[in-house]
Amino acid sequence: MIWSIVLAAGSGTRYGRLVPKQYEGLRGRRLVDWSLDAAAEASDGVVLVVAGEYREQAEDTADIVTTGGSTRAESVRRGLAHVPADAEVVIVHDAARPLATAALFAAVAAQISEGADAAVPGIPVTDTIKRVSAGIVRETVERSELAAVQTPQAFRAEVLRRAHAAGADATDDAALVEALGAEVVVVPGETANLKITHPHDLLVAEAVLDEGGRS
Ligand code: C5P
């Protein structure tokens, strides 16, 4: 069985609006609903993790709705606690990425069925990336070795549970799995799978939909 955890418990402080970004509308539907639909299409069950004050507004698309924690990793742990013990694959997805397709969920999950412990979507980095501290460039990182990593990320359930057992924090779940020494496979990501971080990102998402393609 494949279960997905959709994370929507962030306060979106960088977004700078009163409504957290995952509740903003895109083509008349909230970002969280776009994510739930893709997750539901590709999984046997979905756990939605929301902030306490949004529990009432949770959609029927989720099988289980629970309250998140103060960090992303804590929210994942709270969601994971509700994933049934017989789920072999767990996919974690940020509600802030409304344009991820069900096909991308299926692609990362397929890697686990084929034997991987973890699989993430990645796209080549097009900017030149420099390591900077105190306003000074310390290093230019070799771009050919870099990938911008997205969600949905799929895991063998037992591996994800072990990665989160110590209660550590990280910006994605794959980082916690890497810390265990497990191998994380990279599949091609989707360029349209942007993360809504600033209000203008919604305009880009609208344009992607106008163009007729999520992928
Ligand atoms: O903060 P960031 O943009 O990295 O958040 C990524 C995703 O994690 C968002 O969908 C956000 O709602 C979710 N999140 C959460 N609980 C937190 C922080 C973030 O569910 N405490």
Side-chain angles (χ1 to χ4, degrees), residues 125-184:
V125 169
T126 52
D127 291 322
T128 294
I129 308 285
K130 297 183 191 287
R131 197 179 306 283
V132 178
S133 65
I136 305 293
V137 171
R138 308 295 167 178
E139 184 193 356
T140 299
V141 188
E142 175 54 39
R143 188 169 63 187
S144 63
E145 290 188 350
L146 297 178
V149 165
Q150 309 174 334
T151 68
Q153 302 188 345
F155 304 91
R156 191 169 302 288
E158 168 269 316
V159 172
L160 185 63
R161 290 188 200 276
R162 210 156 19 101
H164 275 284
D169 196 21
T171 53
D172 74 355
D173 301 281
L176 297 176
V177 167
E178 291 154 35
L180 291 180
E183 201 168 79
V184 177

Side-chain angles (χ1 to χ4, degrees), residues 7-10 14 21-22 69-72 75 94-96 195:
L7 293 174
R14 278 165 302 171
K21 60 191 176 185
Q22 58 273 30
S70 57
T71 63
R72 185 188 180 282
S75 292
D94 291 344
K195 183 171 174 187

Side-chain angles (χ1 to χ4, degrees), residues 6-12 15 17-25 30-33 36 48-60 62 64-68 95:
V6 173
L7 293 174
S11 57
Y15 192 70
R17 291 217 182 143
L18 282 178
V19 181
K21 60 191 176 185
Q22 58 273 30
Y23 297 101
E24 287 277 359
R30 304 172 310 172
L31 298 191
V32 64
D33 297 325
L36 283 171
L48 171 64
V49 185
V50 294
E53 63 269 35
Y54 284 91
R55 270 196 91 139
E56 309 291 281
Q57 300 179 34
E59 279 298 314
D60 305 338
I64 296 169
V65 181
T66 190
T67 308

Side-chain angles (χ1 to χ4, degrees), residues 177-199:
V177 167
E178 291 154 35
L180 291 180
E183 201 168 79
V184 177
V185 171
V186 181
V187 306
E190 295 174 342
T191 51
N193 181 17
L194 62 142
K195 183 171 174 187
I196 308 294
T197 306
H198 305 287

